[in-house]
Amino acid sequence: MRREVTLRDVAELAGVSSRTVSNVVNGYANVTERTRERVQRAVDELGYRPNVLARNLAQGRSGQIAVVVPYLDTPYFSELLQSVIRAARARGYNVLIDQTDGDPEHERAFIAHGSRRLLFDGVIFSPLGLDQQALADRDPALPLVVLGERTSDGGFDHVGIDDVTASRQATDHLLDLGRQRIAAIGDQPYATGEAAQRRTRGFRLAHQARGLVPREDLIISTPRFNRPDGAQAMAHLLDLAEPPDAVFCYSDLVALGAIRTIVSRGLRVPEDVAVIGYDDIEDGAYSNPTVTTISPDKEMIATTAVDRLLLRIASDTPPPGLEMRAPHKLIIRESTAGRTTATA
Amino acid sequence: MRREVTLRDVAELAGVSSRTVSNVVNGYANVTERTRERVQRAVDELGYRPNVLARNLAQGRSGQIAVVVPYLDTPYFSELLQSVIRAARARGYNVLIDQTDGDPEHERAFIAHGSRRLLFDGVIFSPLGLDQQALADRDPALPLVVLGERTSDGGFDHVGIDDVTASRQATDHLLDLGRQRIAAIGDQPYATGEAAQRRTRGFRLAHQARGLVPREDLIISTPRFNRPDGAQAMAHLLDLAEPPDAVFCYSDLVALGAIRTIVSRGLRVPEDVAVIGYDDIEDGAYSNPTVTTISPDKEMIATTAVDRLLLRIASDTPPPGLEMRAPHKLIIRESTAGRTTATA
DNA sequence: CTACGCTTTTGCAGCGCTGCAAAAGACAGC
DNA sequence: GCTGTCTTTTGCAGCGCTGCAAAAGCGTAG
């Protein structure tokens, strides 16, 4: 195999020092037009390409950021990831993706002190829940931005939407429809993270604001936020003596699973049970029925996270941890509003 | 910021040469137990972690493979990716993900000669279509495995399922149901890749084997394989004087979009129109109705691709390009078989 | 006691690049 | 012509590791 072209080769051909070639390649300022041209010609002629590895080693940075998500095949994450990759790429960074399969041990290892040093300059972390142990072990020098979960630890940034308000709006929407027995699927009272708990809080607040008290047996916990969980939880709810007439699901996948169960029992959505989801994944816009949902601004979450992480990477003295809220909105579709198309 | 611990630091503490520390860290053979222990103690005490960048530079490899997909938020790709990442991780490789947004220029750049040298040791490439220009420009020294698309170029491997047979099975299934006017959505007669064309071939073959001729106006081309495309194509089909009573969709997303259109017009699936998809994404198992589909063995595709790529990376003389077939099966669900649950 | 073959350890060079500081040039003013 | 200032170019060291080959250690045999 032919040896690759190096800076030195170019330098020799152009009759300048290798440092000057480096300057040209990197577009540094003080190079005369004459020199630049000569070097450029040599670069072109030899087909020189910088060796990223060597550059990284010399600079002590990798030009890569890691994005850690629990599951890649969850549409919410893959949609978010898509935006993150785009944002990072636009800023000259590559994205290394890691899925933890929801294993807290794996999540921990990722932000632990000294983990895989220098393979990435920083981490965007979307944990299932924020493990306290993980936070304790975390490398304070590792630039970190956390998505979704919140915490009091000040050493990193957090980007997410206002879950409590969003959940309250979702519940309000169901109450506005005149529903009497509203269930919630997705609580995780014992989880380390508190995203689920914030949604439950919003759910309760919406009731309280109208002087209502949610029935505790209608608040269902699920291990994850996927279709099977939703399907199963809904089956349980429909088996109750007094089944719900509306359900607030903590993710669109849960909602899709729940709808599946409702329909397969011969009941109608939303006539018999209205369903609302969370995340606004594409599936929900094309399902039968389409799913009313809370839509977080994923593009905004992604770019904010990337920008903030790069800032953190670039600064010598780590900036204080910031709490950042991306906007969200309620998107009303058939699963609560019914079929709008005439033909039905 | 404290300087990081290096091999040399460990060597000093352990009273050996840095090369010996390297040997211990990498688990090389000829190290006495005594030495190994002493070094290990020093490693632990200082909390030494190898600098991956330096190792890579010295070894001339990056320990990373790139996976190039058109769209990350397409469930088929994200499900596949999940398996690829897992397989690569198990073999000590990291995965760098790149999405091309379907831009052929971008796809080309990725496998082009000298592209981003050394950031990755090889590429698993899942192109929209195999651009001839891209193949011509491709770096022959870059280990490459292509998913889905086939070609006669012998310089790399190909992993996929037998599209023609699978498509024929799908069509047969619809014919077996007694459907008279079967449409196909997803042909791409002018695309550079031929995956879509192979599916159309299978579609035709199934007809021919029964002495039938498919109606040409029922074979619909789409730019991509997503929900909107499916929805739109189906709308067109339903507007025909003689609309189809069954549809073979070239992806589950297309099928979901098509079903959406059918249902929103007040027609029933499968009673009025039977629908079959392709890819077996999770969505199709929880939609209303659930979607009959061709299920490629994604796990097998992923591990085969990774194994083959690593083999290619490891070998000095590139092995000949191989054509590899992963198994697939037909999974029959409600969109062709109707509701099996009693209650409906 | 020396020679020999084997295992274990070492030293050095170098992967290809950039940071730093010094050297060389260019130009103006006295 | 000389000095001082500013711009451009250079040389060197070193990022932290591994490949290679030589050196050292070690046990056995002659």
Side-chain angles (χ1 to χ4, degrees):
Chain A
M1 178 142 25
R2 213 174 71 274
R3 204 178 54 82
E4 298 283 355
V5 181
T6 75
L7 266 192
R8 231 174 301 276
D9 299 329
V10 178
E12 209 160 308
L13 179 61
V16 296
S17 76
S18 65
R19 197 59 184 79
T20 298
V21 178
S22 169
N23 285 339
V24 171
V25 170
N26 292 289
Y28 287 157
N30 293 334
V31 182
T32 52
E33 198 46 46
R34 236 179 71 83
T35 314
R36 181 182 309 282
E37 256 175 41
R38 194 138 45 93
V39 171
Q40 192 57 53
R41 220 186 332 270
V43 165
D44 294 342
E45 187 175 331
L46 296 176
Y48 168 76
R49 296 252 142 195
N51 179 322
V52 193
L53 246 45
R55 173 181 296 172
N56 291 346
L57 178 60
Q59 290 186 149
R61 41 149 268 169
S62 72
Q64 297 187 148
I65 61 178
V67 179
V68 184
V69 297
Y71 306 97
L72 237 189
D73 60 356
T74 303
Y76 176 72
F77 290 125
S78 58
E79 291 181 11
L80 191 62
L81 219 47
Q82 170 145 338
S83 300
V84 169
I85 290 181
R86 208 169 288 148
R89 167 85 26 90
R91 291 157 181 76
Y93 270 76
N94 272 306
V95 173
L96 209 58
I97 294 186
D98 260 277
Q99 75 190 340
T100 61
D101 291 324
D103 176 12
E105 191 50 54
H106 193 143
E107 296 194 340
R108 209 171 295 152
F110 231 91
I111 60 170
H113 186 78
S115 71
R116 293 212 271 161
R117 202 175 100 214
L118 274 186
L119 242 187
F120 40 79
D121 301 328
V123 174
I124 293 179
F125 188 33
S126 185
L128 270 188
L130 263 188
D131 193 295
Q132 288 308 315
Q133 185 60 39
L135 284 180
D137 292 351
R138 88 177 194 88
D139 183 348
L142 178 71
L144 178 65
V145 173
V146 174
L147 302 184
E149 289 298 332
R150 240 190 300 176
T151 172
S152 50
D153 186 315
F156 51 87
D157 302 308
H158 167 258
V159 184
I161 66 168
D162 184 343
D163 278 316
V164 176
T165 304
S167 301
R168 183 168 166 176
Q169 285 170 343
T171 313
D172 272 336
H173 173 58
L174 296 175
L175 288 167
D176 288 344
L177 293 174
R179 302 293 165 146
Q180 307 288 330
R181 298 179 305 284
I182 304 179
I185 303 180
D187 191 31
Q188 298 180 331
Y190 305 115
T192 49
E194 47 162 36
Q197 290 156 37
R198 283 202 304 280
R199 296 183 194 178
T200 303
R201 198 173 325 142
F203 177 73
R204 291 184 194 281
L205 279 175
H207 282 82
Q208 284 164 22
R210 305 186 186 212
L212 303 171
V213 180
R215 265 175 44 196
E216 290 302 321
D217 63 334
L218 294 186
I219 301 178
I220 310 292
S221 301
T222 57
R224 289 179 53 185
F225 280 1
N226 56 20
R227 289 186 182 86
D229 284 350
Q232 201 181 333
M234 195 68 224
H236 168 75
L237 284 169
L238 291 179
D239 287 340
L240 292 178
E242 261 191 314
D245 56 6
V247 197
F248 169 33
C249 299
Y250 290 8
S251 88
D252 281 354
L253 287 184
V254 168
L256 289 168
I259 289 173
R260 172 81 200 134
T261 297
I262 297 167
V263 172
S264 74
R265 298 220 180 178
L267 299 171
R268 291 158 307 156
V269 177
E271 291 81 355
D272 298 310
V273 187
V275 178
I276 189 167
Y278 208 102
D279 288 345
D280 190 22
I281 62 178
E282 207 204 36
D283 313 43
Y286 285 87
S287 54
N288 283 305
T290 54
V291 181
T292 296
T293 192
I294 293 292
S295 174
D297 188 335
K298 301 190 197 88
E299 192 67 27
M300 172 82 99
I301 292 175
T303 53
T304 305
V306 170
D307 281 337
R308 189 71 192 165
L309 184 65
L310 296 193
L311 178 76
R312 209 161 254 287
I313 290 171
S315 34
D316 303 320
T317 56
L322 231 56
E323 200 62 40
M324 295 154 109
R325 288 273 169 288
H328 68 267
K329 56 184 183 234
L330 174 68
I331 295 186
I332 297 174
R333 298 211 186 92
E334 293 168 1
S335 69
T336 60
R339 205 136 282 169
T340 45
T341 339
T343 346
Chain B
M1 178 142 23
R2 211 173 74 275
R3 204 178 55 83
E4 297 283 355
V5 181
T6 75
L7 267 191
R8 229 172 303 276
D9 298 330
V10 178
E12 209 160 309
L13 179 61
V16 297
S17 77
S18 65
R19 197 60 185 77
T20 298
V21 178
S22 169
N23 285 339
V24 171
V25 170
N26 291 289
Y28 286 157
N30 293 334
V31 181
T32 52
E33 199 46 46
R34 237 180 70 82
T35 314
R36 181 184 309 284
E37 256 175 40
R38 194 141 43 96
V39 170
Q40 193 56 55
R41 219 186 334 269
V43 165
D44 293 344
E45 187 175 333
L46 296 177
Y48 168 75
R49 296 253 141 195
N51 179 323
V52 193
L53 245 43
R55 171 181 297 171
N56 290 346
L57 178 60
Q59 291 188 147
R61 40 149 267 167
S62 71
Q64 299 188 146
I65 62 177
V67 179
V68 183
V69 297
Y71 306 96
L72 238 188
D73 59 357
T74 302
Y76 177 71
F77 289 124
S78 58
E79 290 180 12
L80 191 62
L81 219 47
Q82 171 145 339
S83 299
V84 169
I85 290 181
R86 207 170 288 147
R89 166 84 26 90
R91 292 155 181 77
Y93 271 76
N94 273 306
V95 173
L96 209 57
I97 293 186
D98 262 276
Q99 75 190 341
T100 61
D101 291 323
D103 177 11
E105 190 51 54
H106 193 143
E107 295 194 342
R108 209 170 295 153
F110 231 91
I111 59 171
H113 185 78
S115 70
R116 296 211 271 163
R117 205 175 97 214
L118 276 185
L119 242 185
F120 39 81
D121 301 328
V123 174
I124 293 178
F125 188 33
S126 185
L128 271 188
L130 263 188
D131 193 295
Q132 287 310 315
Q133 185 59 41
L135 284 180
D137 292 352
R138 88 179 196 86
D139 184 347
L142 178 71
L144 177 66
V145 173
V146 173
L147 302 184
E149 291 296 332
R150 242 190 299 175
T151 172
S152 51
D153 185 316
F156 50 87
D157 303 309
H158 167 258
V159 183
I161 67 168
D162 183 342
D163 278 314
V164 176
T165 304
S167 302
R168 182 168 166 175
Q169 286 171 341
T171 312
D172 272 335
H173 174 58
L174 296 175
L175 288 167
D176 287 345
L177 293 173
R179 302 294 164 147
Q180 307 287 330
R181 297 179 306 283
I182 305 180
I185 303 181
D187 191 31
Q188 297 180 334
Y190 305 116
T192 49
E194 48 162 35
Q197 291 155 37
R198 283 203 304 281
R199 297 183 193 178
T200 302
R201 199 172 325 140
F203 177 73
R204 290 184 195 281
L205 279 175
H207 282 82
Q208 285 164 21
R210 304 186 185 211
L212 303 171
V213 180
R215 265 174 47 196
E216 290 303 320
D217 63 332
L218 293 187
I219 300 179
I220 310 292
S221 302
T222 56
R224 288 178 54 182
F225 280 1
N226 56 20
R227 290 186 182 86
D229 284 349
Q232 202 181 331
M234 195 67 225
H236 167 74
L237 284 169
L238 292 179
D239 287 340
L240 292 179
E242 262 191 313
D245 56 7
V247 197
F248 169 33
C249 299
Y250 290 10
S251 89
D252 281 354
L253 286 184
V254 168
L256 289 168
I259 289 173
R260 172 81 200 135
T261 297
I262 297 168
V263 172
S264 74
R265 296 221 182 176
L267 299 171
R268 291 158 309 155
V269 177
E271 292 81 354
D272 299 309
V273 187
V275 178
I276 189 168
Y278 207 103
D279 288 347
D280 189 23
I281 62 177
E282 205 203 38
D283 313 44
Y286 285 87
S287 55
N288 282 307
T290 53
V291 181
T292 297
T293 192
I294 294 291
S295 174
D297 189 334
K298 300 190 197 89
E299 192 67 27
M300 171 83 98
I301 293 176
T303 54
T304 305
V306 170
D307 281 337
R308 189 71 192 165
L309 184 65
L310 297 193
L311 178 76
R312 210 161 254 286
I313 290 171
S315 34
D316 302 319
T317 56
L322 231 56
E323 202 61 41
M324 295 155 111
R325 287 276 169 288
H328 68 266
K329 57 183 183 234
L330 173 68
I331 296 185
I332 298 173
R333 299 210 185 93
E334 293 168 0
S335 69
T336 61
R339 204 135 282 169
T340 47
T341 339
T343 346

